[in-house]
Amino acid sequence: MIIETADVRKTYGNVEALAGLALRVPRGAICGLLGRNGAGKTTTIKVLRGMVRPTSGDARVFGLKADDSQASVEIRSRTAFVSEDKDLYAGMTVGALVRFTAAFYPKWRADLASTYLEQFDLRSDATINSLSRGMRTKLALLLALSTGAELLILDEPMSGLDPAATEDILQILIKQAARDGTTVLFSSHQLAHVEQVADHIAIVDRGRVVIDGALDDIRASYCRIQLVFDGQAPEATFKSHGVINVRRQGRVLSVLSHGGHEGVVAEARSLAPASVDVHPVALKEIFLEAVGVEN
Amino acid sequence: MIIKPNPSLGVPIYLQLVEQVKHAIETGALRAGDQLPGIRPLAEELVINANTVAKAYRELEHEGVIELKHGAGAFVADTARARQGGAEKFRGGEALVAATVEQLRARGLSDEEIRRLFEAKLAGFMKSGGQGG
Amino acid sequence: MLWYKAWLDTRWRFLLGLGLLLVFACGTVMSFPTVQELVSSVSPSAISGSEDLRQEFEESVELMRTFRGYVWLQWFQQNFSSLLTIFAALLGSGSPLVKSGSGALFSLALPVSRGRWIAARAGAGLAELLVLALVPNVAFAALAPFVGEQLSVGEPLVYGACSFVGASVLFAVAVFISSLVNDVWRPLLLTCVVAVAIGAVGLALPEGHGLFTAMAGGKYFEDGSLPWIDLLVSAAVTAGLLYAAAANVARRDF
């Protein structure tokens, strides 16, 4: 595990931002960090960055403690961060900022920097505050990728970008992960982006990780069983383990199940429905279910 | 040649890829011995996770549809030749579907209803025998 | 690179200060003939008031007669201390890692400890302050011939050095306050308030002591000796405040 946190808590005054967070990100994964606003995604990232010290608990990156100042410097020399508002030195030129940043990373990849400068069409003499939001995101990403970091942590990297720019960014992340085995952790509100490129996800709700693991495994473990009856659907309670909820609508009974649906299907057949269909569940539904939103 | 998979379909992306490759072989777009794109280049082109492409290729290899040759890449298997004989099978299937659709239309079913019948049948077949996953 | 960034953040303030002080210094030199005329046309007996006031006035007039005395009184004791203090506060205000600043999150992401950020900012600021304290004073020796006078270069530089040590304290106060609050203006304001308070305390202290007195280097003017104790205490306070500022920044959440 390149990132591993155990029971991390963070309290601001009397607000508990993190309430026992256990996040695990394996090396080489592209992990999507999902959650509602205020769920604790940004606080989690801040803890990993060493910006914020947890009230209690253990947060480790590369096995090093994130709240130890010296270890945090070591972590930051091997990790690149892109914050949500792409906060950069407004007055500097692009070229100056690239040279400035390069000085801090011994493993700086000048070849990547010049490749991306050209690919993104960024002029070295342009001042940063003259760049559009999309260009600033690309510059922030360029800097992050050129550090030669083993881990990239991105907070809402695609916010404010048009679809074309978004696709560019996603492609670059894919490329980097595939070519150098860089681990990527990115928080996002766009489930479609996460589904497209992530192979792992972690869903954060109310300061805790409620679901985490390989995306395919998670998706496979959920299914919706649709029972259609000739008459009115019966009021049925399912004893099988793993039934999350049951909905009745006229002649249809819809069962959301997690983790092994065979038992549920068997129970369902005992109700003698006219048809039994098993459908996969979209990530959106899994997410809404995990964060407790009534559908 | 390969269409970008749609993550919101509810069908795992790697399965979409598997189906696409099989479909390409069935229609003759891919023949026995043809080389498939490398995992990384394909991932970059489709903008999907490289592990997903790898998983699709492994599944295809497991089903005997393709062969992964160390260092050389992925190739459509010779046994796929048998499936290719299925290019005719496939076209035969197309004729059958066309005839069935006409029959169902004659019965008064709308195209939408016909489509749903086919989908339900196929989904039921794939799923109730054990999750495709 | 950190020092370069500190320079970028403070260069306009520094250049403004340097420009202003140079102009004021030149102005002071050039006004000497006028002042001399004024002074010689005033007789002490024309002043009404208390005996103390008359005595002080007499002393001042006496000092003003010579160029050396004029420079010390008009410039170092009066104008320079205040100006240098203000610029010390200005240079020290605004932490490099301030939340609302441009690029703060980027700075925090770099593999650099927070202590190093503060150290670079403090070091660059003190270097700039030293230049502000010394360079304008070279003007006196350089321009003295233009008003028909002479002054050694060494003496103003010594006064300048004393002023630097004193002003550093206020610089450190500004840096310390900046480690607690997030904007640029509150540290500046609060430091000026502290400066006024120190000045007030200095008035209450026995003659020859107090921060601003030490800054002016009065003792050196009189007998060529330096107020070592005051200078050492100032340096220690400066160091302590800077260390505390670094500790504050290292501890806090961003």
Side-chain angles (χ1 to χ4, degrees), chain B residues 71-124:
Chain B
F75 296 83
V76 179
D78 278 345
T79 57
R81 200 187 291 273
R83 283 176 191 272
Q84 220 187 320
E88 284 106 55
K89 240 196 296 183
F90 192 77
R91 282 182 219 122
E94 277 184 317
L96 202 57
V97 167
T100 311
V101 167
E102 284 316 308
Q103 277 184 355
L104 293 169
R105 277 180 184 161
R107 282 198 184 196
L109 286 166
S110 73
D111 280 4
E112 185 56 34
E113 289 166 330
I114 296 171
R115 194 182 55 75
R116 267 187 270 127
L117 274 175
F118 272 99
E119 276 187 3
K121 178 64 186 165
L122 291 169

Side-chain angles (χ1 to χ4, degrees), chain C:
Chain C
M1 268 306 181
L2 294 178
W3 289 67
Y4 171 64
K5 179 74 170 68
W7 163 248
L8 285 180
D9 289 344
T10 54
R11 62 182 161 173
W12 297 124
R13 302 180 231 180
F14 166 72
L15 290 172
L16 177 71
L18 190 62
L20 268 175
L21 287 172
L22 277 170
V23 165
F24 275 126
C26 296
T28 307
V29 172
M30 293 311 181
S31 327
F32 182 63
T34 323
V35 169
Q36 253 199 331
E37 264 185 53
L38 262 169
V39 155
S40 47
S41 65
V42 164
S43 68
S45 49
I47 302 301
S48 59
S50 69
E51 189 58 41
D52 282 328
L53 190 63
R54 187 180 304 189
Q55 199 176 10
E56 251 191 69
F57 185 72
E58 262 185 43
E59 281 175 21
S60 306
V61 166
E62 200 47 50
L63 281 172
M64 295 276 228
R65 289 197 199 283
T66 65
F67 186 62
R68 180 173 170 265
Y70 165 69
V71 164
W72 181 79
L73 182 68
Q74 185 72 358
W75 178 246
F76 287 104
Q77 215 213 25
Q78 296 188 356
N79 298 336
F80 189 57
S81 308
S82 340
L83 283 172
L84 196 65
T85 303
I86 293 176
F87 280 105
L90 196 57
L91 285 175
S93 296
S95 158
L97 300 173
V98 90
K99 235 186 268 212
S100 49
S102 81
L105 293 178
F106 182 78
S107 300
L108 285 168
L110 294 171
V112 173
S113 71
R114 297 180 192 180
R116 272 184 66 196
W117 275 107
I118 301 298
R121 175 65 154 246
L126 285 173
E128 287 168 349
L129 192 62
L130 186 64
V131 170
L132 287 183
L134 297 181
V135 168
N137 301 324
V138 173
F140 292 108
L143 293 176
F146 286 91
V147 294
E149 295 284 344
Q150 268 201 341
L151 196 65
S152 69
V153 175
E155 205 171 319
L157 286 180
V158 172
Y159 300 141
C162 293
S163 301
F164 166 71
V165 174
S168 310
V169 175
L170 275 342
F171 172 80
V173 167
V175 172
F176 178 75
I177 298 177
S178 300
S179 73
L180 297 171
V181 303
N182 285 338
D183 62 318
V184 174
W185 300 114
R186 269 188 290 171
L188 179 61
L189 227 55
L190 288 171
T191 305
C192 289
V193 167
V194 169
V196 169
I198 291 179
V201 165
L203 286 175
L205 285 177
E207 191 61 50
H209 289 278
L211 184 73
F212 288 98
T213 327
M215 273 176 80
K219 246 177 145 200
Y220 187 76
F221 178 72
E222 277 154 27
D223 53 24
S225 72
L226 287 171
W228 288 113
I229 297 191
D230 295 34
L231 291 175
L232 280 170
V233 167
S234 303
V237 170
T238 303
L241 282 170
L242 290 177
Y243 182 79
N248 279 345
V249 169
R251 223 178 2 98
R252 69 180 281 193
D253 286 338
F254 279 93

Side-chain angles (χ1 to χ4, degrees), chain A residues 177-195:
Chain A
R179 184 185 35 217
D180 296 327
T182 311
T183 310
V184 179
L185 173 67
F186 73 105
S187 74
S188 179
H189 280 308
Q190 298 289 355
L191 294 176
H193 297 154
V194 173
E195 281 185 285

Side-chain angles (χ1 to χ4, degrees), chain A residues 8 24 36 44 75 110 112 156 160 182 213 240 266 285 291:
Chain A
V8 170
R24 286 161 309 181
R36 303 181 72 171
T44 304
I75 291 173
L112 284 179
E156 305 272 351
T182 311
S240 290
E285 234 191 300
V291 303

Side-chain angles (χ1 to χ4, degrees), chain A residues 28 30 167 170-171 174-175 178-179 192 195-199 216-217 219-220 222-223 261-262 269 277-278 280-282, chain B residues 4 7-14 40 43-52 55 120 123-124 127-128 130-131 133:
Chain A
I30 301 184
E167 197 72 352
L170 287 173
Q171 191 179 49
I174 293 280
K175 206 163 158 172
R179 184 185 35 217
E195 281 185 285
Q196 193 176 335
V197 304
D199 49 22
D216 283 338
D217 293 345
R219 260 207 297 242
Y222 282 83
C223 63
H261 62 282
E262 288 85 9
R269 289 199 198 280
D277 283 315
V278 179
V281 181
Chain B
K4 277 202 185 200
S8 326
L9 272 185
V11 177
I13 295 178
Y14 88 96
R40 288 215 306 251
E44 286 176 32
E45 188 192 319
L46 299 177
V47 193
I48 58 175
N49 196 301
N51 291 337
T52 308
K55 191 166 177 176
K127 301 300 179 211
S128 58
Q131 181 81 347

